[in-house]
Amino acid sequence: MIETLPRFGYGLLETVRLAVVSLAGSIAIGTCVGLARVAPARVFRIGALVYIEAIRNLPPLLLLFFVFFALPRRGIVLDSFPSATLALSLYGGAFVAEAVRGGVKSVNPIQVEMARSLGLSHLQTTRYVVLPIALAASLPALTNVLIALIKTTALAGAIGVSELMSETKSVQSITFRIFAAYGIAALGYLALIVPLTGASALLERRYARVFGA
Amino acid sequence: MSGFEPFGQRAIWLFLGHGLAQTVKAAGFSIALSLVVGALVAAARLSGTRLLAWPAAVFALAIRSVPSYLILLTVFFGAYAVGVRLSALVAIVLGLALYHGAKVSEIARGAFQSVERGQVEAARSLGLSHGQTLRTVVWPQAVGRLQPPLASECILCVKNTSLGSLVGLDEVLKRGEIVYQKYVNPMETLMVIGAIYWVICFSLSLVSRRVEGAVSWTGE
């Protein structure tokens, strides 16, 4: 069992890499969609709503299969890792969008009026006033998205990414040490997620103190 | 649009319908059992007895901090290792009941603890026991706050039944894979399967919004 430990380490690194890259993608997509969700133009609002409602009601496994097996039929051929990144970013983006929308809603309208009356355009107000406050306010929610993304990376093995879960499965099929293999994998996930859970609770308390919400 | 052509046949829909029945069955049993698990774990955590509260808290944190797929595989292969043969359906129901049960317990705890402490203290100082306080003061207020997050958890559970396709449960996503491997139309088939999941999950959220209105009307 000891000689298989490097494989768990490799899988854990791959899980972290996939989760971090997907988080970046989710934030990029989610910020745009979240802002569109509260945009003055109706087209943007409806478009964002359709995206969020569509993605949230689909299993992430189906999104992974769609990107990896269906997109190549339309000429978009991606390797396992980029496919998983794209699918997880699309999935996480819907949740980040909701977090950003919540953050924007928590911005005091007077601050927006002040910015506008100082001569900032709508876009400038969004960029320099609303977005920084909204992102800070949605930090606890974003931590929860990261936790969910780490757990969802476990499915990426189904399209050939050698993350922790798929490494664990192959170790288990070689050694037949089922409980040892899944126990080690569980420790890996706990080491990543328990501190994040703590951080999320801490951020929530700090946010409640600062913003009084 | 030739990729949609197979869906003109009745046989394809019957084939997918059988998978859908497995999905619904897995989701229904998992949700029912996870409510039981969640209620028991939450009761232990709120019991006021350290000997019960601590193990329950550790259980909930540990289960919530690993992927549902890991729990599912541990149940599936673990049962096999100790000599119990579980069908894929039983394995996924047990796995998802554990995973979502832990999350349900967290939802229940949050709803109970969201009730103002002063009210609990007032009830206790009026001579109500711990159990009486929970039942007559906390529960009526907590139940309204339980419902929206429980509905989201049910939707997550429906989506998670798709993991069954990875351990050999003959559910709707697995049947979809079989269809697109035969007709070489993954894009169209996955769109149809996606639409099926979407309809189930979206109608669940609609029902939940209805119930939410009803509960908060009489409850809070």
Side-chain angles (χ1 to χ4, degrees):
Chain A
M1 205 63 208
I2 303 251
E3 63 279 5
T4 63
L5 279 178
R7 298 199 57 177
F8 289 101
Y10 174 77
L12 189 66
L13 276 181
E14 199 69 354
T15 289
V16 171
R17 199 159 73 95
L18 181 57
V20 169
V21 178
S22 305
L23 179 72
S26 301
I27 290 177
I29 296 174
T31 309
C32 295
V33 176
L35 287 178
R37 185 79 184 79
V38 290
R42 203 166 167 190
V43 193
F44 285 125
R45 286 208 305 269
I46 293 179
L49 183 69
V50 167
Y51 172 79
I52 293 170
E53 287 295 340
I55 295 287
R56 285 208 309 178
N57 291 318
L58 291 178
L61 190 58
L62 190 139
L63 288 175
L64 284 165
F65 284 172
F66 192 85
V67 171
F68 194 65
F69 296 118
L71 288 189
R73 310 276 316 162
R74 293 287 181 277
I76 306 168
V77 186
L78 294 174
D79 214 0
S80 291
F81 191 87
S83 291
T85 307
L86 178 58
L88 291 178
S89 301
L90 286 172
Y91 187 67
F95 294 92
V96 172
E98 285 293 90
V100 169
R101 184 175 76 110
V104 169
K105 272 189 159 175
S106 75
V107 176
N108 193 333
I110 293 173
Q111 284 176 307
V112 177
E113 276 169 38
M114 282 196 317
R116 291 308 299 275
S117 68
L118 284 171
L120 270 71
S121 70
H122 179 80
L123 218 61
Q124 283 174 321
T125 311
T126 306
R127 162 77 183 75
Y128 295 108
V129 179
V130 176
L131 207 52
I133 302 176
L135 283 180
S138 57
L139 218 50
L142 285 180
T143 319
N144 291 334
V145 173
L146 178 59
I147 292 172
L149 276 177
I150 293 174
K151 291 201 267 181
T152 314
T153 57
L155 303 180
I159 60 166
V161 180
S162 343
E163 41 69 51
L164 182 53
M165 209 55 228
S166 91
E167 289 295 307
T168 307
K169 270 175 82 176
S170 55
V171 167
Q172 172 236 299
S173 65
I174 297 164
T175 61
F176 296 104
R177 303 283 295 275
I178 290 165
F179 292 110
Y182 288 122
I184 293 172
L187 287 180
Y189 284 110
L190 286 171
L192 293 179
I193 292 175
V194 171
L196 282 172
T197 310
S200 160
L202 207 72
L203 282 169
E204 222 155 294
R205 233 173 296 146
R206 170 166 296 185
Y207 167 70
R209 206 171 55 225
V210 173
F211 293 84
Chain B
M1 280 290 130
S2 62
F4 283 112
E5 228 162 71
F7 295 101
Q9 306 166 34
R10 215 174 103 85
I12 293 286
W13 288 103
L14 283 176
F15 186 71
L16 290 180
H18 184 87
L20 181 60
Q22 291 291 311
T23 294
V24 170
K25 214 194 273 180
F29 285 129
S30 306
I31 290 171
L33 205 53
S34 68
L35 289 180
V36 175
V37 172
L40 288 176
V41 175
R45 288 186 77 175
L46 296 166
S47 64
T49 321
R50 283 229 177 110
L51 213 62
L52 286 172
W54 273 91
V58 170
F59 167 82
L61 180 67
I63 296 280
R64 284 192 309 131
S65 303
V66 295
S68 44
Y69 188 36
L70 189 144
I71 296 169
L72 175 60
L73 289 184
T74 309
V75 170
F76 190 68
F77 291 116
Y80 197 78
V82 297
V84 184
R85 298 214 61 170
L86 296 182
S87 72
L89 181 68
V90 174
I92 192 152
V93 166
L94 290 179
L96 291 185
L98 274 179
Y99 179 72
H100 291 287
K103 292 177 77 186
V104 166
S105 81
E106 195 64 22
I107 292 169
R109 193 185 60 98
F112 272 74
Q113 290 186 340
S114 73
V115 175
E116 217 188 319
R117 266 215 74 73
Q119 294 190 20
V120 177
E121 280 159 18
R124 292 307 301 275
S125 65
L126 284 171
L128 270 71
S129 71
H130 184 73
Q132 280 175 321
T133 309
L134 282 183
R135 209 168 50 245
T136 59
V137 177
V138 181
W139 170 252
Q141 301 183 69
V143 65
R145 293 169 203 172
L146 265 174
Q147 193 266 331
L150 273 187
S152 327
E153 204 55 42
C154 289
I155 291 172
L156 280 179
C157 188
V158 172
K159 297 199 297 186
N160 259 342
T161 58
S162 63
L163 300 187
S165 68
L166 301 175
V167 295
L169 177 67
D170 201 13
E171 45 72 79
V172 71
L173 184 57
K174 184 78 222 168
R175 293 237 152 172
E177 283 173 55
I178 295 168
V179 168
Y180 74 64
Q181 275 157 12
K182 174 159 191 228
Y183 293 100
V184 205
N185 60 346
M187 180 161 273
E188 293 79 3
T189 305
L190 285 174
M191 280 180 179
V192 170
I193 303 292
I196 294 173
Y197 275 108
W198 192 86
V199 167
I200 302 175
C201 295
F202 190 69
S203 22
L204 271 178
S205 68
L206 284 185
V207 170
S208 142
R209 269 171 236 173
R210 261 281 169 73
V211 176
E212 196 179 332
V215 170
S216 55
W217 227 82
T218 52
E220 296 225 11

